[in-house]
Amino acid sequence: MTLFDPAWIDVAILAFMAIVAFVVALLRSVFASVMLMGIFSLLSATLFVILDAVDVAFTEASVGAGISVVVFLGAMSLIPSPKAHGRTRPLLGALVCIACGALLILGTLDMPTYGDPQAPIHLHVADRYLSESLEATDVPNVVTSVLASYRGYDTLGETTVIFTAAIAVLILIGGSWRDGVKAPARADKETGDA
Amino acid sequence: MHDHAVLRVVSKLLMPFIFLFALYVQFHGDFGPGGGFQAGVIFGAGMILYALIFGLKAARKVAPLHYLRAQLSLGVLLYAGTGIVGLVQGSNYLDYSVLAHDPAHGQEYGIMLIEMGVLLTVSSAMTLIFYLFAGQDH
């Protein structure tokens, strides 16, 4: 790698991500951790742009760096004092982390080199998608035609997952089924306050 | 955050552009990066910004809870319903080719419809989850 190799950008972003991850683990303030996790998401979004996965970068930036931070802050405001206390076992945690990390690295050893044209993923249906999708769907963006048409079932499943998540939150903390009407299930809390 | 004049003015200026950008990402998803999910998240983020700056009460006037609940289900129904049209027309489930005389056009319409379904569900889910978390303390 020479001094002006663009690969240094990858190295810098990955180094930043590692630093942020370590700081998140070390910090005792939950608020600062949540903010840093947003920064971590933004850095990984940058990495996705470099990997030419713009759609994924888009999603990561808006969900990871945007909405999940807000939802975390909203959840934090509901918890009395989100501070880590009690006896911690740093050695046990470190062992679990190192074991999991080693397993993950072991898993990547079998993967083909990034950008290898002979990688299995490029030999299956990718060629057909790239050459035929414009003619078959009239949509120039291959990502959209694969997501919405060739893999329509998967996207339907993903939409249903989001629907289910919102319904679950609605059932758990939604309270009432009408605006402004409190459900009887929350009555015990109100009498406790009074 | 009601009395931060700078935040109020700047977010008021930004709001139309955020929603416009969400619609751009939605309808330009055929040509560039983006699609229903990304557009829905940006739309939801715009609503969340509005609720953060002007308060939950004002946001609930713009998009009431019962409206968001209906929109949440409508999105999935639109997606699944588009698939059923293919089934009724004698083809496979989620095969959009039968939606128009020309199969490629049918695919284009189908993709547009299901992306609209994704937008409806994702944007309302994001806004709804924020409403519920933020509305707990009172």
Side-chain angles (χ1 to χ4, degrees), chain A residues 54-56 58-59 62-63 66-67 70-71 74-78 134-160 162-163 165-167 169-171 173-180 182 186 189, chain B residues 21 25 28-35 37-38 40-42 44-45 48 52 60 64-67 69 72-73 75-76 79-80 92-94 96-97 102-105 107-108 111 114-115 117-118 121-122 124-126 128-130 132-138:
Chain A
V54 196
D55 292 76
V56 186
F58 226 132
T59 315
S62 48
V63 176
I67 286 182
V70 175
V71 170
M76 258 174 62
S77 68
L78 301 179
L134 179 61
E135 225 171 286
T137 63
D138 253 2
V139 170
N141 185 359
V142 186
V143 177
T144 300
S145 63
V146 170
L147 266 180
S149 185
Y150 290 99
R151 292 280 178 269
Y153 274 103
D154 298 22
T155 312
L156 176 63
E158 282 159 20
T159 313
T160 315
I162 292 162
F163 171 76
I167 292 291
V169 174
L170 204 61
I171 290 171
I173 60 171
S176 67
W177 287 96
R178 279 204 190 122
D179 288 295
K182 291 267 178 191
R186 292 181 56 81
K189 194 195 162 206
Chain B
F21 185 60
V25 170
H28 206 256
D30 289 4
F31 309 99
F37 186 83
Q38 288 88 346
V41 172
I42 295 170
I48 290 173
L52 277 174
R60 277 188 161 198
L65 209 57
H66 59 85
Y67 172 76
R69 275 206 308 267
L72 185 73
S73 322
V76 179
Y79 199 139
N92 293 324
Y93 185 62
L94 285 175
Y96 321 127
S97 298
D102 181 27
H105 269 151
Q107 291 284 340
E108 205 184 355
I111 289 173
I114 65 124
E115 293 276 10
V118 175
T121 294
V122 172
S124 53
M126 298 298 162
L128 201 72
I129 290 172
F130 175 76
L132 294 176
F133 271 104
Q136 286 298 303
D137 48 333
H138 48 74

Side-chain angles (χ1 to χ4, degrees), chain B residues 5 8 16 21-22 42 50 54 77 82 101 133-134:
Chain B
R8 281 177 74 103
F21 185 60
I42 295 170
Y50 187 81
F54 298 98
L77 280 176
T82 309
H101 291 298
F133 271 104

Side-chain angles (χ1 to χ4, degrees), chain A residues 3-150:
Chain A
L3 191 62
F4 296 105
D5 198 324
W8 283 111
I9 299 174
D10 303 8
V11 174
I13 291 171
L14 281 170
F16 269 128
M17 282 172 80
I19 293 168
V20 170
F22 266 109
V23 174
V24 166
L26 291 174
L27 273 180
R28 282 278 150 252
S29 156
V30 181
F31 180 78
S33 295
V34 168
M35 287 299 165
L36 280 176
M37 272 158 74
I39 293 175
F40 187 86
S41 284
L42 206 61
L43 286 169
S44 55
T46 321
L47 206 60
F48 287 136
V49 174
I50 294 173
L51 293 174
D52 281 339
V54 196
D55 292 76
V56 186
F58 226 132
T59 315
E60 181 66 41
S62 48
V63 176
I67 286 182
S68 65
V69 171
V70 175
V71 170
F72 267 127
L73 291 179
M76 258 174 62
S77 68
L78 301 179
I79 303 165
S81 105
K83 269 209 175 99
H85 44 71
R87 240 155 45 89
T88 52
R89 291 182 179 162
L91 202 68
L92 187 70
L95 273 177
V96 170
C97 279
I98 291 168
C100 285
L103 275 176
L104 286 172
I105 290 171
L106 195 71
T108 59
L109 290 182
D110 263 354
M111 281 176 64
T113 324
Y114 174 71
D116 180 10
Q118 293 302 311
I121 190 135
H122 298 308
L123 298 177
H124 187 40
V125 283
D127 269 346
R128 219 186 90 207
Y129 287 163
L130 287 175
S131 57
E132 289 176 18
S133 72
L134 179 61
E135 225 171 286
T137 63
D138 253 2
V139 170
N141 185 359
V142 186
V143 177
T144 300
S145 63
V146 170
L147 266 180
S149 185
Y150 290 99

